Amino acid sequence: MLASEEAGSAGAGLGSAVPRRRLGPGGPEVPVFALGSWNIWDRMGAEERRALMRRAVDVEAAFFDVAFYNMGPHAEASRTDLLFGETIRELGLARSDYRLCGKLWMWEYPETGFAGQMDESLARIGAAGADPERFDTVVVGDFAGEPDIAQVVRDVQAEIDRGSFASWGVNNWPARSMQRALDVAAAEGLTAPAFAQLKYGLVRRSMAEGDFYGRWFSEGALALQASDVFEGGILVGKTAPARKIGADVGGIRERIVEAYPRVAEIAASFGASPAQLGIAFCLALPATANVLFGASSVRQLDDNLGALALLEREGAERIREATAELWIDREVRADGVWDPAA
C-alpha cells in the first residue's frame, strides 16, 4: 500500500489525481511521478509537448525536473529547458499549477557559483514568457574530486535565503559526502538536504538499499527520488538505445540488457507493462518520494500511471518478492564511493 500521507487513491483510474508523498524532511509534498528534463522536451514536437504537459497537470502529476545542460559531461547546450518554458507559456499555466525542481551543477564549482546558475536557469525558462520566479526545490549535482562540502551547504543556504528555492537534495553523492553535509547543516543551523536523487530500480539497488543511503532512508532522515529507472529505455524494451543515457556504474549494462526478457516476463505475469513494473517496484520502497522518468508522449505517461493500480492490486511485498532475482548491482561500489566517471 502507498504511504498514509499520500492523497488520493492509487487504485483509481487515469482521470484521478496522482498520490503525493513528502520529498524528505522540510521538503514539499510532491506527486509520486516526476517528469525529467534530460532532453525529453526536445524529443517531441510542440503539439506533443503541450499534450504531455497538459495531461500531467490534469492528473496532478505536474512535477518537472528542469535544468540547463551546459557543464561537465552534460555540456550539451540543450534547448530542452527553453522548450519547457515555451510550453508553459503556450498552455497559459500559472505557477501554482506545477512544481519545479532545478539543478545546481558542481562540475565548475566554485568558479561557477550557485547564484549565477539559478539566475541563468530561471531566465532561460522565462525567456519564452513563462514566469517561474523560483524553483520549489533543487538537486545539487554529482561531482568528481573532493569539493568543500561545508561551503556547498553554506552556498545552498545563501540561495535559500535569497528566495531561489526552499529545499534541496543531492544527485548520486558518495555517502561520506552526504554525511558531511548533514553534519555541517546540524552544527551551523543550516538547511540540510532533504532527499537524494539516486539511480534506483529493478536492477540497480545498492545505493538506496545497501549501506550507502539505506540507513538514512530507513530512519526517515532523507527521501529517495528514484532516477534512471528504465536504464535509458533498456528495461522497457529499447535494448540498444541510440541516444545518450546515464552512466553505466560498475559496467553491468550488458547484464541489464540480458535481464530485460525476464523483466518483461515478470511484468506479463502481473498483467502489466515493464514500465509499470519498474515504477511500482520503486514506489514499493517506503523511502521513495517520487520516480523521475522521461516520458515523451501522453501514451507513455498514461502507461506509467498504471503502475499505481499495479502496486495497489498486488502489494509491495509481492512485487519485491517477484523481482528479487533482478538485483544485478549487489556487489557494485562495495567501498561506498560513487564514481560518476565509471
Side-chain angles (χ1 to χ4, degrees), residues 64-212:
F64 303 112
D65 178 291
V66 180
F68 179 28
Y69 293 89
N70 66 329
M71 291 188 195
H74 305 306
E76 304 158 358
S78 167
R79 296 187 69 250
T80 192
D81 56 333
L82 298 173
L83 295 171
F84 170 82
E86 181 178 296
T87 308
I88 290 286
R89 177 188 58 78
E90 290 171 346
L91 290 175
L93 297 181
R95 184 61 181 83
S96 58
D97 291 330
Y98 59 95
R99 293 281 194 179
L100 194 58
C101 180
K103 272 284 201 314
L104 287 171
W105 300 115
M106 296 279 285
W107 300 107
E108 297 174 9
Y109 175 85
E111 289 75 17
T112 301
F114 292 162
Q117 290 189 49
M118 285 287 91
D119 290 345
E120 182 174 28
S121 190
L122 288 168
R124 284 174 61 87
I125 295 171
D131 186 16
E133 297 180 350
R134 67 196 296 271
F135 291 98
D136 293 288
T137 191
V138 298
V139 175
V140 180
D142 51 8
F143 49 80
E146 296 288 339
D148 184 345
I149 296 299
Q151 191 58 50
V152 170
V153 176
R154 294 172 193 133
D155 288 348
V156 167
Q157 185 66 56
E159 286 307 293
I160 292 174
D161 294 342
R162 197 166 71 103
S164 298
F165 48 86
S167 66
W168 67 293
V170 307
N171 178 48
N172 295 322
W173 280 21
R176 64 171 186 270
S177 299
M178 172 58 84
Q179 184 64 67
R180 174 66 173 152
L182 292 170
D183 291 345
V184 169
E188 300 185 15
L190 305 177
T191 303
F195 66 98
Q197 185 185 104
L198 303 177
K199 284 177 176 284
Y200 181 66
L202 292 166
V203 296
R204 295 190 189 268
R205 310 182 190 181
S206 292
M207 283 287 282
E209 294 193 31
D211 295 333
F212 311 106

Side-chain angles (χ1 to χ4, degrees), residues 222-288:
L222 293 171
L224 169 66
Q225 184 177 74
S227 71
D228 210 5
V229 173
F230 303 138
E231 195 74 15
I234 292 172
L235 294 178
V236 292
K238 300 175 183 177
T239 54
R243 63 182 178 84
K244 180 180 179 181
I245 64 176
D248 179 17
V249 179
I252 61 173
R253 189 151 288 154
E254 184 175 336
R255 293 172 60 195
I256 292 173
V257 171
E258 293 171 353
Y260 170 69
R262 182 58 181 148
V263 171
E265 182 180 354
I266 295 170
S269 74
F270 286 127
S273 70
Q276 290 168 355
L277 178 65
I279 294 172
F281 169 82
C282 292
L283 292 176
L285 186 71
T288 304

